[in-house]
Amino acid sequence: MKANAELLRLDRVGVSFGGLHVLADIDFSVGAGEIVGLIGPNGAGKSTCFNVVTSIYRPDRGEVRLDGQLLSGLRPDRVCKLGIARTFQLVRTFQRMTALQNVLVGATYGRHAAGSDSLRVAHEALDRVGLGAQAAREAAHMTLSDRRLLEIARAIATQPKVLLLDEPMAGLNATEIGQMIDTIRRIRDELRVSVLWVEHKVDAIMKLCDRVVVLDHGEKIADGTPAQVVANPQVIEAYLGEAPARDPIA
């Protein structure tokens, strides 16, 4: 597949819970090798969007396709095997399992069932996020920052085509945020994995993403380059309030 060819596509996706419209005709795509930010106020529909892509929720209308294949209606485990992996806003590591055991889950049940190579795949994933030395540590004894990195290691061990990151910087300090930014950049550059990234650290999103999609009250109000989005009056009014502060993020 050529670089930036469309890989993940949401087409007129709508989701309602009772009479509440959570997503309304959402259209956007993620290209091969792209990092796409998904931002908006709390309640805008970002996590619902992730749950639709991973088939936790089935949309009322519209469809989701990965590399042209329809995902809507498939079981979440099948979506994972086809090439979608995710992390969660509230960290969901297996607390009484070691870091290596956590990541082995991804290697064993991911897109290419690794079989006898599962151990190698898991160790490589831990090394890639900087946790190789903590392979034998129980997740319960790891810092929040390291558990967030562990979730990413488990996700990339599934060998995804698209990685969904749900606020991986929540609760992190400035040093840990810098480490997370380096990790996301490295995963894209070295593995050529596309990334769809929900985040409230807008300065990081604008620095690292190729494109940014903005949701507000379940509707898409912008889709463009970071420069286009920060200058969009509708985005400023609904979410930014002002241009994001400059931050010494490399």
Side-chain angles (χ1 to χ4, degrees), residues 22-124:
V22 182
L23 294 177
D25 294 328
I26 298 298
D27 290 290
F28 69 85
S29 65
V30 178
E34 272 193 315
I35 301 178
V36 176
L38 183 63
I39 66 172
N42 290 329
K46 305 181 298 294
S47 291
T48 299
C49 194
F50 268 29
N51 287 335
V52 168
V53 172
T54 54
S55 254
I56 294 174
Y57 297 158
R58 184 166 185 169
D60 302 317
R61 57 194 174 278
E63 59 186 32
V64 179
R65 291 184 179 273
L66 176 66
D67 211 4
Q69 181 165 353
L70 184 66
L71 300 182
S72 307
L74 298 180
R75 297 192 317 268
D77 63 303
R78 180 60 180 159
V79 171
C80 178
K81 285 186 177 295
L82 289 173
I84 300 283
R86 71 170 296 181
T87 66
F88 295 87
Q89 182 180 355
L90 298 177
V91 180
R92 296 187 183 180
T93 51
F94 301 111
Q95 293 292 81
R96 294 303 173 190
M97 293 169 60
T98 66
L100 179 60
Q101 289 167 338
N102 267 270
V103 180
L104 273 169
V105 172
T108 302
Y109 294 102
R111 184 157 66 100
H112 302 296
S116 60
D117 284 339
S118 293
L119 195 60
R120 175 186 58 79
V121 170
H123 276 294
E124 288 177 354

Side-chain angles (χ1 to χ4, degrees), residues 167-249:
E167 296 195 40
M169 297 180 183
L172 305 189
N173 62 36
T175 299
E176 293 164 344
I177 287 172
Q179 181 183 12
M180 185 64 71
I181 288 171
D182 289 342
T183 298
I184 294 169
R185 181 188 288 121
R186 187 166 60 250
I187 287 169
R188 190 276 298 272
D189 292 347
E190 295 179 1
L191 299 180
R192 301 305 298 168
V193 173
S194 300
V195 178
L196 179 60
W197 175 15
V198 168
E199 186 57 66
H200 283 295
K201 306 289 186 184
V202 178
D203 48 353
I205 285 280
M206 297 304 173
K207 186 72 175 181
L208 196 55
C209 289
D210 301 296
R211 288 189 302 111
V212 180
V213 176
V214 188
L215 303 184
D216 184 37
H217 293 97
E219 297 183 356
K220 185 180 79 172
I221 62 172
D223 183 348
T225 66
Q228 291 169 335
V229 166
V230 296
N232 185 310
Q234 194 173 2
V235 176
I236 294 171
E237 180 180 359
Y239 185 52
L240 296 180
E242 58 184 21
R246 292 293 179 184
D247 197 66
I249 293 175

